[in-house]
Amino acid sequence: MPADVIFINGRITTLDAGGTEADAVAVESGRFVAVGRRADVEPLAGPDTKVLDLNDRRVIPGLIDAHTHPLETLWLKNDWVDARFPGTDSVTATLAKLRDRVSRTPKGQWIFVACVSATENKFVDKRLPTRAELDAAAPDNPVILANGAHMAVVNDAALAALNIAPGQTALPKGGHALVDADGRHTGVITDGFADIPSAPAPSEVAGFYTEGIPAFWNSHGFTSMMAITPHHAVDAFKAVSVAVPAPNIRYSVSVWVSPDGRGFPQDLSGFEMPAAADPDYYRFVAIKAWIDGENDCRTGYMHEPYVGHFDIDPPGGRGALVTPQDRADAFVTRARQSGKAAMLHCSGDAAVDIGLTAYEGEPGSPGAIRRIEHFGMFQLTDRQLERAKALLARGLRISVQPIWLTELVRANLENMGAQRTRTGMRFRTLIEAGLEPAASTDMTGIYLSNINPFPAMAAVVTRESDAGEFEPDEAVSVQDAVRMWTVWPARAIGEFADRGTIEVGKLADMTVLSDDIFQIAPRQLATVTAAQTVVGGRVVYSR
């Protein structure tokens, strides 16, 4: 049959096993039916075939975001007070923005404030606003000021709205409320966002999945994502999957209920997409739990204490343990028995050991995927690397966040010291070990610029960080940087049979680049953009 669409005149890097280069592809029913030379592909054109000129641009497989929180991203982007560094660089400026929002908000209504992670390192004050300062700025509104996605400061009204009793430290869904030496709440909450009784309205959620999320990700070349999704949004997601059968991005859904992995219903089939949904666009593939917080806000769970002391530190100075070993083991068993990938968030070195132990204790099963999120981003010991290599045959996959090179190295040096910091973000070491690190944005709406994958690619190639050149021996090739956003995420999601490379039979997803990333200087990678984004042969974005 004639092709639906043919793309010609491109410099197409397929990333297939043979390293094939092509200049034309043909697409029928959303999949590649020919990949090769124009003279061989053009005969597939019929009278109704569209022929699109790629204008001699470099083309790579469609970019895949291996770990992201799209719903939260749109919510924070659209609705929260923006106190993100560097646009906001002090406690004073943050409180001014909060007071402005209070002046326009009815009493009793929640107010959310977004600060980037490691704000305590980045603000000129070297601290966050206090509970008392939030009380003074917003006495009649519950306020949540997020320091990244794993720690927040709240005011008295929020403590009351959350029903946190005096002296109470443990929250119902795995979070913790910190108290001072006198047992009085400091206002600091770690990993407590599951306990916050507020979220986008259902009407907003549908709009996010239908239009807002695809548009935001498509504009940066993404064609697929691992969409980490709160359980309460799954019904809206399922409704969209029927109403919008072919969205402009492919959703592989990972569901979470509470940070510590508890609360899942006995039967996970309620999270499956409807029979009418197209599995090429919507699939429920994984469940997620958090072993700890994150090192950038000093809540990543570590064997040794953080450097110095901040008022926001959990007791003991070694971070926050969210999911202990027994619950991690039970979570991994639950994922295997349900036929879903397990995703364990592990930031600190002690948390990584818990994640590895949970996977080592589980019997293997054919096709199983066992993921550690943020593996080796902050710390990685040689022993942990060897343990991870031993688990490859049992389905271990890892996700990494290369953009953090540009945002968190300075904070890591302050929080952990040079020796421990140097063990993190060793992308070349991970690749040489065969761990195939799957890159992601980890978008939560905290750092909005993290949606752009090209500065992240530049960082892994040049090793330029927010603290200067960082461990240059860990630089990777440009081609491996591209694999981090294509081939390896497809494998980490369990969908390499259908995406990740440009080959006959696979979904016709491509990212057309503004510049030839294999020809320009490494530093110029940061300025590359997506000229076009193609999903199933459809051009869903053009710059």
Side-chain angles (χ1 to χ4, degrees):
M1 294 180 62
D4 293 329
V5 59
I6 290 174
F7 294 85
I8 61 171
N9 194 28
R11 285 178 279 171
I12 302 171
T13 297
T14 67
L15 293 183
D16 67 5
T20 304
E21 294 286 318
D23 61 18
V25 297
V27 179
E28 168 65 27
S29 299
R31 292 181 180 263
F32 294 114
V33 293
V35 177
R37 295 295 149 202
R38 178 175 179 177
D40 299 321
V41 173
E42 279 192 320
L44 295 176
D48 297 322
T49 300
K50 293 181 181 178
V51 179
L52 302 180
D53 194 331
L54 293 167
N55 297 308
D56 199 36
R57 293 195 183 277
R58 175 64 63 185
V59 181
I60 59 176
L63 299 181
I64 301 172
D65 194 344
H67 173 125
T68 194
H69 305 259
L71 174 62
E72 292 86 345
T73 295
L74 267 287
W75 183 35
L76 268 68
K77 178 175 176 284
N78 292 353
D79 298 345
W80 286 38
V81 176
D82 183 1
R84 300 173 178 89
F85 182 86
T88 305
D89 65 356
S90 67
V91 170
T92 299
T94 299
L95 294 173
K97 290 186 174 184
L98 172 58
R99 285 191 292 268
D100 177 68
R101 178 63 67 89
V102 169
S103 70
R104 298 179 282 112
T105 303
K107 290 183 179 181
Q109 183 172 313
W110 283 86
I111 296 175
F112 298 87
V113 183
C115 293
V116 300
S117 55
T119 291
E120 70 277 8
N121 299 87
K122 298 173 186 292
F123 274 2
V124 295
D125 318 72
K126 288 293 184 178
R127 68 176 182 87
L128 295 169
T130 66
R131 169 185 170 182
E133 288 170 327
L134 297 181
D135 285 338
D140 301 312
N141 295 89
V143 174
I144 297 281
L145 182 140
N147 181 34
H150 291 271
M151 191 264 283
V153 183
V154 304
N155 64 352
D156 282 345
L159 288 170
L162 294 171
N163 296 314
I164 298 177
Q168 177 185 344
T169 57
L171 302 184
K173 297 183 179 180
H176 290 85
L178 304 191
V179 296
D180 60 20
D182 298 322
R184 187 173 184 270
H185 286 117
T186 64
V188 175
I189 292 179
T190 61
D191 282 287
F193 285 100
D195 294 284
I196 297 170
S198 185
S203 58
E204 273 192 294
V205 172
F208 289 166
Y209 287 128
T210 302
E211 298 179 355
I213 291 166
F216 196 32
W217 267 261
N218 289 159
S219 67
H220 295 281
F222 288 104
T223 58
S224 297
M225 65 165 64
M226 172 65 94
I228 300 169
T229 305
H231 69 102
H232 56 74
V234 171
D235 285 345
F237 213 148
K238 290 162 66 174
V240 169
S241 74
V242 175
V244 186
N248 288 346
I249 199 159
R250 304 185 192 279
Y251 293 108
S252 298
V253 179
S254 171
V255 176
W256 66 276
V257 175
S258 63
D260 62 4
R262 291 185 292 183
F264 280 101
Q266 188 62 35
D267 182 2
L268 298 186
S269 64
F271 297 139
E272 296 287 355
M273 295 297 112
D278 186 341
D280 286 343
Y281 289 96
Y282 302 96
R283 289 182 61 213
F284 165 42
V285 299
I287 57 176
K288 186 186 177 191
W290 283 256
I291 301 299
D292 63 346
E294 225 158 45
N295 292 36
D296 45 75
C297 62
R298 300 168 68 91
T299 62
Y301 188 52
M302 303 211 300
H303 287 300
E304 299 296 329
Y306 287 89
V307 173
H309 176 75
F310 283 74
D311 290 339
I312 59 174
D313 287 352
R318 296 196 296 120
L321 176 61
V322 177
T323 304
Q325 188 70 63
D326 60 338
R327 287 189 208 146
D329 296 346
F331 177 84
V332 172
T333 299
R334 182 68 179 282
R336 176 180 58 81
Q337 292 174 343
S338 301
K340 301 301 175 184
M343 298 175 68
L344 292 177
H345 165 117
C346 304
S347 291
D349 57 351
V352 171
D353 280 334
I354 290 173
L356 291 170
T357 298
Y359 290 140
E360 288 166 341
E362 261 290 295
S365 56
I369 293 179
R370 300 147 175 244
R371 289 181 39 151
I372 292 184
E373 313 306 307
H374 322 302
F375 184 81
M377 285 303 302
F378 295 102
Q379 301 162 269
L380 182 65
T381 67
D382 291 341
R383 175 60 183 147
Q384 288 171 338
L385 186 66
E386 291 305 311
R387 293 175 70 188
K389 288 167 62 176
L391 284 168
L392 284 172
R394 298 169 68 181
L396 182 69
R397 293 287 172 186
I398 64 171
S399 80
V400 296
Q401 294 67 42
I403 195 63
W404 291 355
L405 264 171
T406 71
E407 297 164 343
L408 296 179
V409 172
R410 185 181 299 277
N412 290 345
L413 289 167
E414 293 180 13
N415 289 334
M416 299 190 298
Q419 183 175 351
R420 284 183 288 183
T421 297
R422 281 198 297 267
T423 70
M425 306 192 195
R426 297 163 59 194
F427 300 120
R428 182 174 180 178
T429 293
L430 296 175
I431 292 170
E432 290 177 346
L435 291 172
E436 298 187 342
S440 77
T441 64
D442 194 15
M443 286 293 295
T444 58
I446 293 296
Y447 289 95
L448 293 177
S449 61
N450 285 13
I451 189 68
N452 188 349
F454 300 106
M457 289 187 191
V460 300
V461 173
T462 66
R463 299 297 297 186
E464 291 181 359
S465 78
D466 62 342
E469 189 179 52
F470 178 67
E471 299 299 308
D473 289 346
E474 289 293 336
V476 309
S477 68
V478 175
Q479 191 158 61
D480 274 346
V482 175
R483 288 190 180 97
M484 289 174 72
W485 293 97
T486 53
V487 176
W488 297 336
R491 288 179 175 155
I493 296 173
E495 295 173 348
F496 183 66
D498 287 316
R499 59 194 85 172
T501 62
I502 297 174
E503 298 183 73
V504 171
K506 287 197 172 185
L507 295 165
D509 299 347
M510 302 185 292
T511 302
V512 184
L513 305 178
S514 62
D515 302 275
D516 190 336
I517 57 175
F518 301 115
Q519 300 296 326
I520 60 178
R523 284 189 176 89
Q524 291 180 291
L525 286 170
T527 65
V528 172
T529 59
Q532 288 183 318
T533 303
V534 180
V535 176
R538 297 177 291 121
V539 178
V540 297
Y541 171 80
S542 291
R543 186 171 295 277

